[in-house]
Amino acid sequence: MYYKSLSSRDYSLDNIRFLLIFSVVFAHFLEVSDPFNGIWLVYKFIYSFHMPVFIFLFGYNVKHSPKRIVYHWLIPYIVFQTIYILFSRCVLDIDKDLQYSTPYWHLWYILTCLFYQLLLPLFDTSDKRRQFLSIICVFVISLIIGFIDSIGYYMSLSRFFVFQPWFLLGYYCKKDGVLETISVRSRIHSIITFVSIAVIVLSAPFLYYTKLPDRMLYGSYSYSNSGSNIWMRAIVFIISLAWILFLFVEVKYVLNKKLPLITTIGQNTWPIFLLHGFFVKIIPAYYPSLLNAPWKVLLLSGVILILLGNKICNKIIYYTCFSWLEILSTNDSKNTTK
């Protein structure tokens, strides 16, 4: 999530990224806030789309680079897995073993994206038929994996399989220019926009009346352990797909402009993701009054984004995670070849 020159940057992706990182922070604070009317509907509504869309966006932007995998994903995972576990033991007084096979809470995203990048060469093809078959296969596996109770948090395996279709879908959409093709075909564009909005609107009563277990939306539990079934997961997949189509077919081309504060935060989501967990753990333990009303949770989420979503925090993460070593290794390799 470190970025190069912004001269040719697609600001619409930054603005969408802002929406997604806000939903992540807001949902995490909802988990630890005082119960209020409608909290779980809002919570489930967010969880029905925010991580599939985030991973789709990651696949949309990904480029296979062994050095990037090491310096921007593996090292940050090791560093923050260590920091969060020590933080839990020393500050929160929670007994946690220092280990790296089971990600700490939200760090599953780093480990999962790391694995996706490692396996990307296996799926990297321009053959439309192979792309289609690959997506169908991983979608089927993501549905079947819910029947296996033994696959869960370890190495983030359950989430790896559950969310992999969105990664591949994003990667192939970018590779083939699918979204651009849809946008210039007005009839298809209109149909997709109408259908996606209809599904999103209908998802609210579905989530409310079906009493969909929130555990099922995490992607880390089997059907039996979450009280759900394969049809629930399939419907949530449809909801997630509707959000992806709505955001990347309709909203993307409307928001392709630099917006004050929003775009800047969208360009600096990495420090927000890595650091907001400390606030989510500390605030309910020491300042619970900040979470006793919906408007406070909303305001607090916005403050966290402003506080962490800037270049200064990005630089702090850059040096904390030793990402600067990538430049040194690149310079060394250039000097060696001379």
Side-chain angles (χ1 to χ4, degrees):
M1 291 187 186
Y2 301 95
Y3 304 105
K4 297 181 180 180
S5 172
L6 303 182
S7 57
S8 59
R9 194 180 188 92
D10 186 346
Y11 291 120
S12 64
L13 298 181
D14 294 324
N15 296 328
I16 291 174
R17 196 177 283 109
F18 166 84
L19 169 66
L20 295 175
I21 196 64
F22 178 82
S23 67
V24 168
V25 175
F26 184 54
H28 284 166
F29 274 122
L30 285 179
E31 287 184 23
V32 295
S33 66
D34 289 351
F36 54 81
N37 191 30
I39 181 174
W40 290 115
L41 177 59
V42 174
Y43 181 78
K44 290 177 183 179
F45 188 73
I46 291 173
Y47 263 87
S48 69
F49 76 89
H50 76 321
M51 288 318 302
V53 179
F54 229 137
I55 291 176
F56 175 90
L57 182 57
F58 172 67
Y60 191 80
N61 289 318
V62 73
K63 290 181 180 178
H64 182 71
S65 168
K67 283 187 177 181
R68 190 174 182 84
I69 292 172
V70 172
Y71 293 110
H72 292 213
W73 294 92
L74 178 59
I75 294 178
Y77 173 72
I78 294 172
V79 168
F80 274 89
Q81 177 79 353
T82 304
I83 292 174
Y84 268 108
I85 290 177
L86 294 178
F87 166 78
S88 295
R89 296 173 66 172
C90 300
V91 178
L92 302 178
D93 197 25
I94 298 175
D95 187 23
K96 279 186 175 292
D97 294 331
L98 187 60
Q99 49 76 35
Y100 301 92
S101 58
T102 301
Y104 179 91
W105 189 32
H106 62 305
L107 299 185
W108 68 266
Y109 175 80
I110 303 179
L111 193 61
T112 299
C113 288
L114 189 156
F115 289 151
Y116 289 157
Q117 292 175 89
L118 287 174
L119 295 176
L120 189 59
L122 297 177
F123 296 96
D124 186 20
T125 177
S126 297
D127 188 318
K128 303 294 191 299
R129 188 175 180 181
R130 285 185 60 188
Q131 290 178 2
F132 178 76
L133 289 175
S134 295
I135 291 176
I136 292 298
C137 285
V138 294
F139 262 114
V140 171
I141 291 172
S142 68
L143 291 172
I144 294 175
I145 209 71
F147 291 107
I148 305 176
D149 293 337
S150 58
I151 296 181
Y153 279 99
Y154 180 77
M155 298 300 287
S156 193
L157 284 177
S158 181
R159 280 167 166 152
F160 169 84
F161 289 113
V162 170
F163 294 119
Q164 189 181 21
W166 306 118
F167 170 75
L168 274 188
L169 193 61
Y171 180 68
Y172 289 146
C173 279
K174 179 67 173 182
K175 191 178 185 70
D176 300 337
V178 174
L179 301 178
E180 290 76 9
T181 301
I182 292 174
S183 67
V184 298
R185 297 184 179 181
S186 57
R187 187 170 183 178
I188 296 176
H189 180 277
S190 300
I191 293 172
I192 287 178
T193 300
F194 173 79
V195 173
S196 60
I197 292 176
V199 172
I200 291 169
V201 171
L202 292 173
S203 68
F206 167 75
L207 294 170
Y208 179 78
Y209 288 109
T210 59
K211 306 296 182 183
L212 191 76
D214 50 286
R215 274 189 163 197
M216 182 251 149
L217 298 170
Y218 301 157
S220 54
Y221 293 93
S222 65
Y223 297 135
S224 61
N225 290 332
S226 63
S228 62
N229 56 57
I230 190 172
W231 302 111
M232 287 182 177
R233 178 167 289 175
I235 293 173
V236 171
F237 278 177
I238 293 172
I239 295 171
S240 300
L241 181 60
W243 274 101
I244 288 171
L245 291 173
F246 174 66
L247 291 173
F248 288 87
V249 172
E250 184 63 32
V251 175
K252 182 179 186 295
Y253 299 97
V254 175
L255 293 180
N256 194 11
K257 61 185 74 172
K258 193 170 184 178
L259 302 175
L261 193 60
I262 289 176
T263 305
T264 300
I265 292 173
Q267 292 169 356
N268 296 282
T269 57
W270 196 222
I272 299 172
F273 173 78
L274 288 173
L275 299 175
H276 83 280
F278 295 111
F279 293 90
V280 175
K281 297 297 183 180
I282 289 175
I283 290 175
Y286 296 98
Y287 308 99
S289 61
L290 294 176
L291 299 168
N292 60 10
W295 68 269
K296 290 184 179 181
V297 179
L298 195 65
L299 180 61
L300 182 61
S301 300
V303 170
I304 295 299
L305 261 63
I306 295 171
L307 183 65
L308 302 178
N310 53 69
K311 292 181 180 179
I312 295 175
C313 286
N314 221 343
K315 280 291 184 182
I316 292 172
I317 297 301
Y318 180 76
Y319 287 104
T320 302
C321 295
F322 306 99
S323 296
W324 48 273
L325 289 174
E326 182 182 11
I327 298 175
L328 292 180
S329 67
T330 302
N331 291 336
D332 289 341
S333 62
K334 286 181 179 179
N335 294 331
T336 303
T337 56
K338 286 182 179 180

